Every structure is written in C-alpha cells, then in structure tokens.
Amino acid sequence: MKVKIKILGLALVALSLFFLAAVYAAGQAEKEESPRRVAIRAGRLVDGRSASAISNAVILIEGERIAAVGQAMAIPAGAEVIDLGKATVLPGLIDCHTHITFQPENYYEDLFRKSPIDAAVVVHIYARRTLEAGFTTVRDAGSEEFIDVALRKAINEGKVVGPRMQAATLAVGASGGHNDLVGFSPYLKFSHFSGIADGVDEIRKLVRFEVKNGADLVKLIATAGVLSEEESVGAPQYTLEEMKAAVEEAAMWGKKVAAHAHGAEGIKLAVRAGVTSIEHGSLLDDEGIELMRERGTYLVADIYNHDFIITEYTRLGYPDKLIEKEKKVGDLQRENFRRAAKAGVKIAFGTDSGVYPHGWNAKQFAYMVRYGLTPMQAIQAATANAADLLGWAESVGAVSPGLYADLIAVSGDPLKDISELERVKFVMKGGRVYKKE
Ligand code: ARG
C-alpha cells in the first residue's frame, strides 16, 4: 500500500513537471516567434533627411524598428497593412526645448499655492498631449525636483504614454539670476533641490549631482531671461570661466550643454565656452552668428512664444515688468533667427513648450517658415538636425532602416502648407500606434 502511494506520488510529480515544462516551452516558442511585422502605405514620404519627398511610399516595420523603406515596394505576406491613403508620412517630430513638467496657470498661485507634487500628478497629461501632437521625442530643458527623470522612467517602462525623453533636471544658474526666485522678500525660502550654483566649484558639484540623479544633458543659464524678475533680459549671468567649467564637467560625464542665452555678450561667452546649443538666442549679433557658424553650435530659437506671452500672460497674472521684457526681445529674436539661418547657423527645432500649452508645439513651424526657412528645412530642424543635436541620430529623426519606427502622418502636403503639421492624424512610436484618425 505504502509503495503504491509512493509510486502514485512520483507519477504525479513527474506529470506536473512535464506539464510545467510544456507550458514553459510554449512560452519560449511565443517569445522566439518573429516580431510583429507591419507595412505602412502612404501617398508621400518626407523621410527627415532627403532633399525631396517620395511618392507611393511603403515602410516595413519589424517590432519597434523600421526594416525597409521604398517606393511601391512589395509587401511581404503575413505583414499587417496600415493603409494611410494619400497621407504624408514623416518621422516622429522632435522638440529640443520643452518644459514638459510645467504649464503656467497663474503667476502667484503657481509660485505659492502649489508644490512640485502638484506638477508631478498632472505631468502625464502633458506627456500624452505632446506625443499625440506628433512629437515622439523631446529634449526637456529643465524641471523641478527631478520630475522629468521620474517621467522619463515611467514612459520608458510603458507606465505612462509620452515621448522619448532627454532630461536636463534642474537648470544650473547663478544667484539672483533667471533660475532664482527674484523680487520677493529675502526671508522667503523654499526647501527644495536648488539649481543655484556660483563659482567653478559649485557649478561642478551641481553638475555632478544632476548627472548622478539622471540628467541626460546640462541646461546652463548663461544670461538673464524674460519670465524672471531680475532687471536685465539679456545680461550675462556667468563668467567665461564658470561656463567653461560647466561644459568641461558635463563632458567628463559624456553630457552636452544647452545654454539659455538672450543677450549678445552672453551668447558669445557660452559659444566660446563650448556649449552645444544656444537656446532663445534673441539678441544674437553678427559676431555671435559667425562664431556659431564656425563652431557648429546649434540655435534653438523659440520663435512662437512671443505671441502667446503677449496675448495671454497678463491674464495669467504675470507682472507688467515681465511683459515689458518680452517686448524687448520678441521681434528681434525672430529677425535674428532669420539672419542666423541665412548665414548657415545650424538650426534645431525647440519651442519652450510649457510657456504655452503642451501639444501646440507644431505651431512654431509656420513661424520658422515665415522667418526664412523652407518648409523642408523647418521639418529637418525637427527631425534629422534635432536628432543630431541630441546625439540620437542612430535611433530617431528619420524614416530609415534600423531606426525606431517613430512615424507621424498628416493628410495634406506639409511642403506646400507647413501648418499641416499642426493637424497630425497618425502617431506611431516604437512600432506602436498611439493615434489614428
Ligand atoms: N523661458 C524664456 C525666458 O523666460 C522664455 C522666453 C520667451 N520669449 C521669447 N521671445 N522667446 O527667458
């Protein structure tokens, strides 16, 4: 009797082991199956790199990457077909200057009745809006309390819907400057991670702290700004020595520096210090243009912003002083953008989204065309050039084999009417469809 029970027991154990092995094998087989194959057909393709569009485009996608691209290419059997009809397909767009963790509602309320936790709770909404507007990648140019790092992680893990992200974390700025809270009682103090650093040693230490906590790039406040209460709008806020220290320290960790700079002198100091891009660039002079061209420094100019600040910021409770500062730079920034582009300065698309509502990023294309770019140049500023600036040309910014299947589509021809990009109908990121109208 005992022996019989033992045999029965052994048989049961063997049976269940066999069953488990079978389940495991089935699971493995599923994993080893070739990745999902999708073929997209579209009337036109603007691939982000080539000088002209191709018609009757076919894009083959395997898993999260592009496998092949061609005109009227045969579609392999078994591929799922997404037929976009006459639409124009483009690479997912890249905005090189967002503040995706922030959007102003009221000047004083935002400062004194909210905490970074309020921002952290709603940031997923801005991330989704940005992606659905066709921006599959952003370089975020500064955020409080490492919310950007947490967002990037949640997006990468698939918990939150949003664009691929590079995060600058806290901007690095001088005491009393654009990154500081200026104009209030000296007794007023917030306990938070501070992006204030003065002198070479503090700057190096802050850069190390940021890299340690997940920064992909360093955002350096090279000059005064518009939406901060210091007197000037463009005076330098760091010395050449300090800027050089930031660039050198960032480089040690393999990071690039993006410099916020409105004033002509500060722009030149930052370029000489070796930053990778000048953000805003409002009062750029001839010498600055020449320096940028020589060194291949990118200009990331947020030339849509002015209109939104002028029409909306008084309603949002912003002090007149700041609106007056905006009036000093708005038109000049646009004219200087035109001059820089004409002189051959490298241009990447960046909007400062967050100053205006997230999801409106593409409104800036029309301004870039109005101020001197061809529609193709404006598109490439947000695709190939932007990817180059981010150091991500091998993964994004073009419709090309091996890159991520980050694609968008618009119904008309953006080379004829650039505002088509404000009406994105289809969004795919990493082979997954997020929008299809
Ligand atoms: N964040 C920038 C600043 O406060 C916004 C500048 C917007 N104005 C402009 N004309 N681009 O300096």
Side-chain angles (χ1 to χ4, degrees):
M1 190 59 183
K2 260 191 186 159
V3 175
K4 258 192 193 163
I5 290 174
K6 256 191 192 159
I7 289 175
L8 201 70
L10 277 177
L12 266 175
V13 169
L15 202 71
S16 40
L17 278 178
F18 177 75
F19 180 71
L20 279 176
V23 168
Y24 177 75
Q28 282 303 96
E30 206 167 37
K31 269 187 210 150
E32 278 159 23
E33 240 179 52
S34 54
R36 201 169 77 102
R37 297 173 102 190
V38 177
I40 294 185
R41 264 187 215 283
R44 198 180 295 108
L45 169 69
V46 174
D47 73 6
R49 288 181 186 160
S50 311
S52 52
I54 65 163
S55 56
N56 289 322
V58 175
I59 302 144
L60 296 179
I61 294 151
E62 275 183 24
E64 58 180 7
R65 301 220 175 227
I66 296 165
V69 184
Q71 192 168 35
M73 212 166 43
I75 294 178
E80 175 194 329
V81 179
I82 300 178
D83 193 341
L84 297 176
K86 289 188 186 150
T88 305
V89 169
L90 304 101
L93 302 169
I94 304 170
D95 190 331
C96 300
H97 191 132
T98 64
H99 294 284
I100 205 165
T101 62
F102 175 74
Q103 190 168 302
E105 285 167 355
N106 177 279
Y107 187 67
Y108 295 101
E109 299 267 326
D110 294 343
L111 280 173
F112 301 120
R113 293 191 204 279
K114 286 184 192 161
S115 85
I117 298 171
D118 293 289
V121 166
V122 295
V123 66
H124 67 100
I125 301 170
Y126 305 148
R128 181 187 280 274
R129 279 184 196 156
T130 302
L131 181 67
E132 288 179 351
F135 288 79
T136 52
T137 300
V138 302
R139 184 182 70 151
D140 202 66
S143 169
E144 291 182 293
E145 307 298 288
F146 300 95
I147 302 172
D148 51 353
V149 171
L151 177 66
R152 183 189 65 202
K153 184 159 170 262
I155 291 172
N156 289 347
E157 289 172 354
K159 292 173 180 161
V160 164
V161 169
R164 300 180 197 285
M165 269 181 80
Q166 288 193 358
T169 73
L170 316 164
V172 176
S175 285
H178 179 59
N179 207 27
D180 204 355
L181 187 64
V182 179
F184 298 93
S185 157
Y187 289 92
L188 184 68
K189 283 201 176 60
F190 287 106
S191 54
H192 63 160
F193 290 124
S194 156
I196 303 302
D198 298 306
V200 165
D201 292 345
E202 281 184 25
I203 290 171
R204 286 189 182 269
K205 189 157 190 183
L206 182 55
V207 168
R208 289 175 194 180
F209 175 69
E210 295 186 357
V211 173
K212 166 181 161 181
N213 290 294
D216 297 303
L217 70 142
V218 171
K219 168 79 175 297
L220 186 72
I221 304 298
T223 77
V226 173
L227 301 175
S228 47
E229 295 194 26
E230 75 274 44
E231 287 308 316
S232 169
V233 67
Q237 293 186 338
Y238 274 135
T239 63
L240 180 61
E241 192 197 11
E242 287 173 309
M243 294 195 208
K244 275 187 174 161
V247 171
E248 231 181 75
E249 188 62 42
M252 268 177 38
W253 303 93
K255 310 297 176 195
K256 302 182 183 192
V257 177
H260 158 108
H262 288 286
E265 287 318 304
I267 292 172
K268 288 182 275 192
L269 288 174
V271 175
R272 290 201 168 99
V275 303
T276 311
S277 59
I278 293 293
E279 314 292 309
H280 312 297
S282 309
L283 307 176
L284 187 56
D285 63 7
D286 286 338
E287 194 188 2
I289 289 177
E290 193 42 34
L291 267 180
M292 289 181 74
R293 207 186 50 76
E294 247 168 49
R295 296 184 165 238
T297 315
Y298 270 100
L299 175 63
V300 180
D302 53 332
I303 59 173
Y304 163 66
N305 259 343
H306 178 66
D307 289 6
F308 191 81
I309 295 173
I310 293 301
T311 55
E312 302 297 329
Y313 268 47
T314 300
R315 181 179 60 82
L316 298 180
Y318 276 65
D320 288 345
K321 182 180 183 178
L322 305 194
I323 315 281
E324 289 309 314
K325 284 208 217 187
E326 179 55 48
K327 289 182 184 159
K328 284 190 183 149
V329 296
D331 292 334
L332 285 172
Q333 183 189 29
R334 292 169 175 184
E335 286 309 329
N336 290 331
F337 170 83
R338 189 204 293 281
R339 289 171 49 243
K342 197 167 169 206
V345 171
K346 292 200 268 182
I347 306 285
F349 183 96
T351 65
D352 216 358
S353 76
V355 166
Y356 67 87
H358 294 287
W360 293 13
N361 313 55
K363 282 184 189 286
Q364 188 177 283
F365 284 108
Y367 290 74
M368 292 171 89
V369 170
R370 195 177 312 155
Y371 288 91
L373 299 194
T374 64
M376 189 58 110
Q377 285 171 330
I379 290 168
Q380 291 186 350
T383 54
N385 288 11
D388 178 52
L389 170 58
L390 270 60
W392 277 5
E394 302 303 312
S395 353
V396 298
V399 182
S400 177
L403 271 61
Y404 283 121
D406 291 359
L407 307 170
I408 62 163
V410 296
S411 5
D413 182 358
L415 299 177
K416 292 210 177 94
D417 175 7
I418 195 73
S419 77
E420 282 290 339
L421 295 176
E422 294 168 33
R423 297 176 294 278
V424 167
K425 307 286 186 199
F426 173 84
V427 178
M428 172 183 270
K429 181 188 142 207
R432 230 187 103 181
V433 177
Y434 287 89
K435 181 179 189 178
K436 192 165 187 283
E437 279 178 3

